[in-house]
Amino acid sequence: MMRIWGLVATLLIGATATIPAEAQHWSRSWMAAPQLSKTPPEKRPDLTDRTVRQVVRISSGGARIRLRLSNEMSVQPLLLGAVHVALAGEGGRTEPGTDRVVTFNGVQGATIPARAPLLSDPIDLPVRPLTRITVSIHLPKGAPDATVHSYSAATGWTAPGNQTHAVSLTDSATLGPRVILSAVEVESRAAGTTVVTLGDSITDGVRATPDSNRRWPDLLAERLQKAGRANVGVANAGISANRLLSEGEGYNVLARFDSDVLAVPGVSHVILLEGVNDLGNAGRDGQPMLKPEALIGAYRQMIARAHDHGVKLILATILPYKGAGYWSAEGEATREAVNRWIRANREADGFVDLAKAVADPADPARMAKAYDSGDALHPNDAGFAVMAAAVDLRLLR
């Protein structure tokens, strides 16, 4: 009997030795919402026995990081070979001495089941806020139906063979979309929080200067850091051509709200800017124009779902788009009615008047020329800057 108790005591000591002395907290610091690739198979790059290298700028920092890799839009398992992470240099290079091997359940390489994400083990790489990191993934058998994020506003690369450990890639080719990598999360002793920015191409950063981190969520992250909010991250869940109520690119917002917002580690707030594509596509396609109540009803659904999880939801007014190819007078009437409700409602946890921030004072249905990228729909870098500046940081407490 004494020998049995001794064995039990040994097992208990071994088990408790793996538990951290202090509880650690994970929060999301960077994000690219998973999407199904709509590029025809014959036009997708062949990633068989190639390394994919991607650079991201995180928002909040931490003592350790972990990666979230996604196979959620694939019906086939995905084989990962070596995966490495490092601090990013210029032009796809890594900073010498910062390379780390990424493991999964204690081993290198993994198979991600169909329709599933995969979290890495914690990686001992302390990172400061607004740090650029490089993630390199070797795909021994390729990824013919890889989960992607179609718009990146950032350069990625592929290179033959396993070059995950290389400071500089050899014989590389550039890559447009995000591939497989869907999030970077950071660990800290004090609980961090994450603000999710949920929206369409305007949040995704279409027309921002590539490789510059000038999307409005990027600039909001910079404002939070300058304000001393070091433990607050910003996770960009924008998808270009996304819609509230119908299928454009990516699942509609009501369909992806749980996975892209409520499941985000550390989420405390969500800023929702969505609806212009629902109005624009109805006008362009000659469909009956949506009533304001339809969009407002969708907002109310997300307010209730957020509040059920203790998450605050902040609404943003729909930006002016007169002059864009899919503008219509009927759509404008709905936009104005919806924006009036957003400004007056007491159901959400606040609002941000992004429409007013970028509007032409002489014609509020249009975006001011100084902020227009040229298509009357997407802001330029200056427009993204005034959008980020319009967010009252007190709403994010």
Side-chain angles (χ1 to χ4, degrees), residues 112-133:
I112 311 180
R115 305 292 191 192
L118 180 69
L119 286 175
S120 75
D121 298 336
I123 304 160
D124 289 322
L125 183 66
V127 288
R128 296 178 180 274
L130 307 178
T131 295
R132 295 169 60 250
I133 66 171

PDB file of all heavy atoms in Angstrom, residues 112-133:
ATOM      1  N   ILE A 112      -3.365  19.088 -40.023  1.00  0.00           N
ATOM      2  CA  ILE A 112      -4.582  19.779 -39.590  1.00  0.00           C
ATOM      3  C   ILE A 112      -5.776  19.064 -40.221  1.00  0.00           C
ATOM      4  O   ILE A 112      -5.846  18.937 -41.449  1.00  0.00           O
ATOM      5  CB  ILE A 112      -4.594  21.253 -40.019  1.00  0.00           C
ATOM      6  CG1 ILE A 112      -3.273  21.950 -39.667  1.00  0.00           C
ATOM      7  CG2 ILE A 112      -5.757  21.972 -39.367  1.00  0.00           C
ATOM      8  CD1 ILE A 112      -3.226  23.411 -40.077  1.00  0.00           C
ATOM      9  N   PRO A 113      -6.727  18.593 -39.411  1.00  0.00           N
ATOM     10  CA  PRO A 113      -7.901  17.934 -40.002  1.00  0.00           C
ATOM     11  C   PRO A 113      -8.697  18.876 -40.899  1.00  0.00           C
ATOM     12  O   PRO A 113      -8.582  20.106 -40.806  1.00  0.00           O
ATOM     13  CB  PRO A 113      -8.721  17.524 -38.765  1.00  0.00           C
ATOM     14  CG  PRO A 113      -7.748  17.503 -37.638  1.00  0.00           C
ATOM     15  CD  PRO A 113      -6.756  18.574 -37.950  1.00  0.00           C
ATOM     16  N   ALA A 114      -9.498  18.295 -41.774  1.00  0.00           N
ATOM     17  CA  ALA A 114     -10.393  19.103 -42.604  1.00  0.00           C
ATOM     18  C   ALA A 114     -11.303  19.939 -41.718  1.00  0.00           C
ATOM     19  O   ALA A 114     -11.733  19.510 -40.649  1.00  0.00           O
ATOM     20  CB  ALA A 114     -11.226  18.188 -43.498  1.00  0.00           C
ATOM     21  N   ARG A 115     -11.568  21.165 -42.147  1.00  0.00           N
ATOM     22  CA  ARG A 115     -12.493  22.097 -41.502  1.00  0.00           C
ATOM     23  C   ARG A 115     -12.023  22.577 -40.129  1.00  0.00           C
ATOM     24  O   ARG A 115     -12.823  23.103 -39.355  1.00  0.00           O
ATOM     25  CB  ARG A 115     -13.882  21.465 -41.338  1.00  0.00           C
ATOM     26  CG  ARG A 115     -14.509  20.940 -42.602  1.00  0.00           C
ATOM     27  CD  ARG A 115     -14.881  22.048 -43.548  1.00  0.00           C
ATOM     28  NE  ARG A 115     -15.703  21.598 -44.661  1.00  0.00           N
ATOM     29  CZ  ARG A 115     -15.975  22.317 -45.735  1.00  0.00           C
ATOM     30  NH1 ARG A 115     -15.451  23.529 -45.863  1.00  0.00           N
ATOM     31  NH2 ARG A 115     -16.738  21.860 -46.701  1.00  0.00           N
ATOM     32  N   ALA A 116     -10.755  22.411 -39.810  1.00  0.00           N
ATOM     33  CA  ALA A 116     -10.290  22.718 -38.456  1.00  0.00           C
ATOM     34  C   ALA A 116      -9.179  23.757 -38.453  1.00  0.00           C
ATOM     35  O   ALA A 116      -8.425  23.878 -39.418  1.00  0.00           O
ATOM     36  CB  ALA A 116      -9.793  21.444 -37.777  1.00  0.00           C
ATOM     37  N   PRO A 117      -9.048  24.491 -37.339  1.00  0.00           N
ATOM     38  CA  PRO A 117      -7.852  25.299 -37.103  1.00  0.00           C
ATOM     39  C   PRO A 117      -6.875  24.513 -36.241  1.00  0.00           C
ATOM     40  O   PRO A 117      -7.215  23.456 -35.702  1.00  0.00           O
ATOM     41  CB  PRO A 117      -8.400  26.502 -36.337  1.00  0.00           C
ATOM     42  CG  PRO A 117      -9.514  25.908 -35.518  1.00  0.00           C
ATOM     43  CD  PRO A 117     -10.098  24.769 -36.346  1.00  0.00           C
ATOM     44  N   LEU A 118      -5.665  25.045 -36.093  1.00  0.00           N
ATOM     45  CA  LEU A 118      -4.655  24.403 -35.253  1.00  0.00           C
ATOM     46  C   LEU A 118      -3.844  25.484 -34.554  1.00  0.00           C
ATOM     47  O   LEU A 118      -3.284  26.362 -35.210  1.00  0.00           O
ATOM     48  CB  LEU A 118      -3.725  23.518 -36.094  1.00  0.00           C
ATOM     49  CG  LEU A 118      -2.619  22.777 -35.336  1.00  0.00           C
ATOM     50  CD1 LEU A 118      -3.222  21.697 -34.442  1.00  0.00           C
ATOM     51  CD2 LEU A 118      -1.623  22.155 -36.320  1.00  0.00           C
ATOM     52  N   LEU A 119      -3.772  25.395 -33.227  1.00  0.00           N
ATOM     53  CA  LEU A 119      -2.935  26.298 -32.454  1.00  0.00           C
ATOM     54  C   LEU A 119      -1.567  25.669 -32.246  1.00  0.00           C
ATOM     55  O   LEU A 119      -1.458  24.474 -31.954  1.00  0.00           O
ATOM     56  CB  LEU A 119      -3.559  26.579 -31.086  1.00  0.00           C
ATOM     57  CG  LEU A 119      -4.772  27.505 -31.032  1.00  0.00           C
ATOM     58  CD1 LEU A 119      -5.314  27.555 -29.616  1.00  0.00           C
ATOM     59  CD2 LEU A 119      -4.428  28.900 -31.526  1.00  0.00           C
ATOM     60  N   SER A 120      -0.530  26.480 -32.360  1.00  0.00           N
ATOM     61  CA  SER A 120       0.810  25.994 -32.065  1.00  0.00           C
ATOM     62  C   SER A 120       1.021  25.942 -30.561  1.00  0.00           C
ATOM     63  O   SER A 120       0.241  26.498 -29.773  1.00  0.00           O
ATOM     64  CB  SER A 120       1.864  26.919 -32.688  1.00  0.00           C
ATOM     65  OG  SER A 120       1.970  28.123 -31.949  1.00  0.00           O
ATOM     66  N   ASP A 121       2.085  25.272 -30.148  1.00  0.00           N
ATOM     67  CA  ASP A 121       2.533  25.383 -28.772  1.00  0.00           C
ATOM     68  C   ASP A 121       3.018  26.815 -28.532  1.00  0.00           C
ATOM     69  O   ASP A 121       3.399  27.520 -29.484  1.00  0.00           O
ATOM     70  CB  ASP A 121       3.687  24.411 -28.511  1.00  0.00           C
ATOM     71  CG  ASP A 121       3.295  22.949 -28.694  1.00  0.00           C
ATOM     72  OD1 ASP A 121       2.086  22.641 -28.563  1.00  0.00           O
ATOM     73  OD2 ASP A 121       4.193  22.132 -28.968  1.00  0.00           O
ATOM     74  N   PRO A 122       3.034  27.270 -27.269  1.00  0.00           N
ATOM     75  CA  PRO A 122       3.615  28.584 -26.996  1.00  0.00           C
ATOM     76  C   PRO A 122       5.060  28.668 -27.479  1.00  0.00           C
ATOM     77  O   PRO A 122       5.830  27.710 -27.363  1.00  0.00           O
ATOM     78  CB  PRO A 122       3.530  28.698 -25.470  1.00  0.00           C
ATOM     79  CG  PRO A 122       2.392  27.798 -25.098  1.00  0.00           C
ATOM     80  CD  PRO A 122       2.468  26.649 -26.061  1.00  0.00           C
ATOM     81  N   ILE A 123       5.425  29.810 -28.033  1.00  0.00           N
ATOM     82  CA  ILE A 123       6.749  30.025 -28.622  1.00  0.00           C
ATOM     83  C   ILE A 123       7.485  31.056 -27.769  1.00  0.00           C
ATOM     84  O   ILE A 123       6.986  32.160 -27.537  1.00  0.00           O
ATOM     85  CB  ILE A 123       6.616  30.534 -30.069  1.00  0.00           C
ATOM     86  CG1 ILE A 123       5.780  29.559 -30.914  1.00  0.00           C
ATOM     87  CG2 ILE A 123       7.996  30.751 -30.692  1.00  0.00           C
ATOM     88  CD1 ILE A 123       5.200  30.179 -32.170  1.00  0.00           C
ATOM     89  N   ASP A 124       8.661  30.702 -27.302  1.00  0.00           N
ATOM     90  CA  ASP A 124       9.443  31.610 -26.457  1.00  0.00           C
ATOM     91  C   ASP A 124      10.097  32.690 -27.321  1.00  0.00           C
ATOM     92  O   ASP A 124      11.277  32.631 -27.646  1.00  0.00           O
ATOM     93  CB  ASP A 124      10.504  30.831 -25.680  1.00  0.00           C
ATOM     94  CG  ASP A 124       9.888  29.957 -24.595  1.00  0.00           C
ATOM     95  OD1 ASP A 124       8.910  30.407 -23.964  1.00  0.00           O
ATOM     96  OD2 ASP A 124      10.361  28.828 -24.394  1.00  0.00           O
ATOM     97  N   LEU A 125       9.313  33.669 -27.678  1.00  0.00           N
ATOM     98  CA  LEU A 125       9.791  34.806 -28.459  1.00  0.00           C
ATOM     99  C   LEU A 125       9.102  36.055 -27.923  1.00  0.00           C
ATOM    100  O   LEU A 125       8.007  36.412 -28.369  1.00  0.00           O
ATOM    101  CB  LEU A 125       9.482  34.617 -29.946  1.00  0.00           C
ATOM    102  CG  LEU A 125       9.993  35.722 -30.877  1.00  0.00           C
ATOM    103  CD1 LEU A 125      11.525  35.759 -30.897  1.00  0.00           C
ATOM    104  CD2 LEU A 125       9.450  35.533 -32.298  1.00  0.00           C
ATOM    105  N   PRO A 126       9.701  36.726 -26.946  1.00  0.00           N
ATOM    106  CA  PRO A 126       9.091  37.956 -26.422  1.00  0.00           C
ATOM    107  C   PRO A 126       8.967  39.004 -27.527  1.00  0.00           C
ATOM    108  O   PRO A 126       9.898  39.200 -28.311  1.00  0.00           O
ATOM    109  CB  PRO A 126      10.071  38.404 -25.335  1.00  0.00           C
ATOM    110  CG  PRO A 126      10.869  37.181 -24.997  1.00  0.00           C
ATOM    111  CD  PRO A 126      10.962  36.401 -26.273  1.00  0.00           C
ATOM    112  N   VAL A 127       7.826  39.657 -27.589  1.00  0.00           N
ATOM    113  CA  VAL A 127       7.593  40.641 -28.640  1.00  0.00           C
ATOM    114  C   VAL A 127       7.003  41.911 -28.046  1.00  0.00           C
ATOM    115  O   VAL A 127       6.146  41.865 -27.165  1.00  0.00           O
ATOM    116  CB  VAL A 127       6.643  40.099 -29.734  1.00  0.00           C
ATOM    117  CG1 VAL A 127       7.336  39.052 -30.590  1.00  0.00           C
ATOM    118  CG2 VAL A 127       5.373  39.515 -29.127  1.00  0.00           C
ATOM    119  N   ARG A 128       7.475  43.042 -28.537  1.00  0.00           N
ATOM    120  CA  ARG A 128       6.921  44.328 -28.147  1.00  0.00           C
ATOM    121  C   ARG A 128       5.697  44.649 -29.007  1.00  0.00           C
ATOM    122  O   ARG A 128       5.542  44.090 -30.103  1.00  0.00           O
ATOM    123  CB  ARG A 128       7.969  45.423 -28.321  1.00  0.00           C
ATOM    124  CG  ARG A 128       9.193  45.283 -27.419  1.00  0.00           C
ATOM    125  CD  ARG A 128      10.188  46.392 -27.722  1.00  0.00           C
ATOM    126  NE  ARG A 128      11.374  46.289 -26.888  1.00  0.00           N
ATOM    127  CZ  ARG A 128      11.488  46.801 -25.669  1.00  0.00           C
ATOM    128  NH1 ARG A 128      10.458  47.466 -25.151  1.00  0.00           N
ATOM    129  NH2 ARG A 128      12.603  46.672 -24.979  1.00  0.00           N
ATOM    130  N   PRO A 129       4.840  45.543 -28.556  1.00  0.00           N
ATOM    131  CA  PRO A 129       3.728  45.978 -29.413  1.00  0.00           C
ATOM    132  C   PRO A 129       4.235  46.521 -30.749  1.00  0.00           C
ATOM    133  O   PRO A 129       5.318  47.107 -30.826  1.00  0.00           O
ATOM    134  CB  PRO A 129       3.061  47.084 -28.578  1.00  0.00           C
ATOM    135  CG  PRO A 129       3.406  46.753 -27.166  1.00  0.00           C
ATOM    136  CD  PRO A 129       4.786  46.179 -27.223  1.00  0.00           C
ATOM    137  N   LEU A 130       3.448  46.300 -31.796  1.00  0.00           N
ATOM    138  CA  LEU A 130       3.715  46.798 -33.147  1.00  0.00           C
ATOM    139  C   LEU A 130       4.982  46.190 -33.756  1.00  0.00           C
ATOM    140  O   LEU A 130       5.589  46.767 -34.658  1.00  0.00           O
ATOM    141  CB  LEU A 130       3.797  48.327 -33.173  1.00  0.00           C
ATOM    142  CG  LEU A 130       2.599  49.060 -32.549  1.00  0.00           C
ATOM    143  CD1 LEU A 130       2.821  50.573 -32.585  1.00  0.00           C
ATOM    144  CD2 LEU A 130       1.299  48.697 -33.257  1.00  0.00           C
ATOM    145  N   THR A 131       5.350  45.000 -33.304  1.00  0.00           N
ATOM    146  CA  THR A 131       6.502  44.278 -33.854  1.00  0.00           C
ATOM    147  C   THR A 131       6.108  43.547 -35.133  1.00  0.00           C
ATOM    148  O   THR A 131       5.018  42.975 -35.227  1.00  0.00           O
ATOM    149  CB  THR A 131       7.036  43.261 -32.828  1.00  0.00           C
ATOM    150  OG1 THR A 131       7.542  43.967 -31.695  1.00  0.00           O
ATOM    151  CG2 THR A 131       8.148  42.408 -33.415  1.00  0.00           C
ATOM    152  N   ARG A 132       7.001  43.537 -36.106  1.00  0.00           N
ATOM    153  CA  ARG A 132       6.802  42.763 -37.332  1.00  0.00           C
ATOM    154  C   ARG A 132       7.462  41.399 -37.172  1.00  0.00           C
ATOM    155  O   ARG A 132       8.625  41.301 -36.780  1.00  0.00           O
ATOM    156  CB  ARG A 132       7.397  43.493 -38.551  1.00  0.00           C
ATOM    157  CG  ARG A 132       6.695  44.795 -38.872  1.00  0.00           C
ATOM    158  CD  ARG A 132       7.439  45.628 -39.891  1.00  0.00           C
ATOM    159  NE  ARG A 132       7.595  44.931 -41.161  1.00  0.00           N
ATOM    160  CZ  ARG A 132       8.731  44.462 -41.634  1.00  0.00           C
ATOM    161  NH1 ARG A 132       9.859  44.575 -40.943  1.00  0.00           N
ATOM    162  NH2 ARG A 132       8.785  43.864 -42.815  1.00  0.00           N
ATOM    163  N   ILE A 133       6.697  40.347 -37.457  1.00  0.00           N
ATOM    164  CA  ILE A 133       7.240  38.991 -37.368  1.00  0.00           C
ATOM    165  C   ILE A 133       7.036  38.262 -38.688  1.00  0.00           C
ATOM    166  O   ILE A 133       6.147  38.602 -39.482  1.00  0.00           O
ATOM    167  CB  ILE A 133       6.614  38.185 -36.216  1.00  0.00           C
ATOM    168  CG1 ILE A 133       5.123  37.927 -36.468  1.00  0.00           C
ATOM    169  CG2 ILE A 133       6.808  38.896 -34.881  1.00  0.00           C
ATOM    170  CD1 ILE A 133       4.515  36.963 -35.475  1.00  0.00           C
TER     171      ILE A 133
END
